[in-house]
């Protein structure tokens, strides 16, 4: 992990500490998607029930504005509901290049905590780096009662905490990263 990665990891853990969220960091076999998590036993290692599986998807609207979707394993994501909640235009999945420029991450490693990598000091409308990320969180995940996990700037390390603290974590992220958070 790079020094920048360690710094971001430290920021994520400090944010959880500041929000008084009890958490645990779990190292596990590298995975690139939720199905691999099941296949390689990572879901069990993390101590997650099926409802605690979190999917993080980066999409962009027709103007290139990034929207990070954070949802449970509720089935197919209703992009029309996300679009309405975010007040945006038609959404499509982000390319690997946009993932890197908007969240400094790669396919299979997208996480809620990637918003810590964003800077919006230069709101250059022609650059994804200058566009604030909107985080769209499913209402079902916010109501979930149990442990949830997010990748921690790696596909081999995750942070696990009680879903009841998700709203607090989102509030702290919104304050630190100047992101908009919407519920769909």
């Amino acid at each position: 992990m790079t020094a920048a990665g360690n710094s971001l990891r430290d920021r994520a853990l400090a944010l959880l500490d500041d929000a008084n969220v009890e958490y645990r960091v779990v190292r596990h076999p590298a995975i690139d998607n939720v199905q691999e998590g099941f296949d390689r036993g990572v879901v069990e290692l993390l101590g997650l029930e099926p409802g605690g599986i979190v999917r993080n998807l980066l999409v962009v609207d027709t103007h290139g504005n990034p929207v990070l979707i954070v949802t449970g394993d509720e089935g197919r994501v209703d992009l029309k509901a996300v679009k309405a909640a975010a007040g945006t235009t038609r959404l499509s999945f982000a390319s690997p290049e946009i993932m890197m420029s908007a969240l400094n991450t790669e396919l299979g490693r997208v996480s809620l905590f990637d918003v810590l990598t964003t800077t919006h000091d230069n709101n250059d409308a022609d650059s994804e780096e200058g566009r604030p990320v909107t985080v769209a969180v499913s209402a079902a995940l916010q109501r979930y009662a149990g442990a949830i996990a997010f990748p921690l700037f790696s596909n081999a390390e995750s942070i696990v905490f009680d879903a009841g603290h998700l709203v607090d974590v989102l509030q702290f992220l919104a304050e630190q990263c100047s992101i908009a958070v919407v519920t769909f």
Side-chain angles (χ1 to χ4, degrees):
M1 186 176 295
T2 66
N6 283 330
S7 174
L8 289 168
R9 182 184 187 280
D10 293 344
R11 278 184 68 194
L13 299 179
L15 179 136
L16 293 171
D17 289 338
D18 290 346
N20 294 316
V21 173
E22 288 186 31
Y23 61 88
R24 58 190 169 87
V25 176
V26 179
R27 294 196 58 66
H28 51 75
I31 58 172
D32 288 323
N33 57 54
V34 171
Q35 186 58 50
E36 279 187 20
F38 282 108
D39 296 346
R40 300 191 74 194
V42 172
V43 171
E44 292 83 13
L45 183 64
L46 295 173
L48 300 178
E49 297 295 325
I53 308 302
V54 176
R55 294 185 301 156
N56 303 277
L57 310 165
L58 186 64
V59 296
V60 291
D61 70 9
T62 54
H63 303 291
N65 298 310
V67 178
L68 175 60
I69 300 171
V70 179
T71 185
D73 196 23
E74 301 131 26
R76 192 171 187 178
V77 175
D78 183 352
L79 291 178
K80 288 182 181 179
V82 173
K83 180 181 103 169
T88 188
T89 58
R90 187 178 61 81
L91 298 170
S92 60
F93 290 98
S95 69
E97 295 79 19
I98 290 175
M99 284 183 191
M100 186 55 71
S101 66
L103 292 176
N104 196 31
T105 195
E106 301 172 15
L107 186 64
R109 291 170 177 81
V110 176
S111 172
L112 172 63
F113 292 100
D114 288 331
V115 298
L116 290 170
T117 68
T118 63
T119 58
H120 306 296
D121 297 332
N122 67 347
N123 284 321
D124 178 359
D126 296 328
S127 165
E128 284 84 9
E129 294 170 354
R131 297 172 193 222
V133 176
T134 298
V135 177
V137 183
S138 71
L141 183 61
Q142 291 181 34
R143 289 188 305 266
Y144 179 70
I148 57 175
F150 293 92
L152 192 56
F153 306 106
S154 161
N155 66 343
E157 187 173 49
S158 295
I159 190 155
V160 181
F161 59 90
D162 187 273
H165 294 292
L166 183 58
V167 171
D168 298 329
V169 171
L170 290 166
Q171 181 179 10
F172 271 76
L173 282 169
E175 291 169 4
Q176 286 193 13
C177 304
S178 301
I179 59 170
V181 177
V182 299
T183 300
F184 71 95

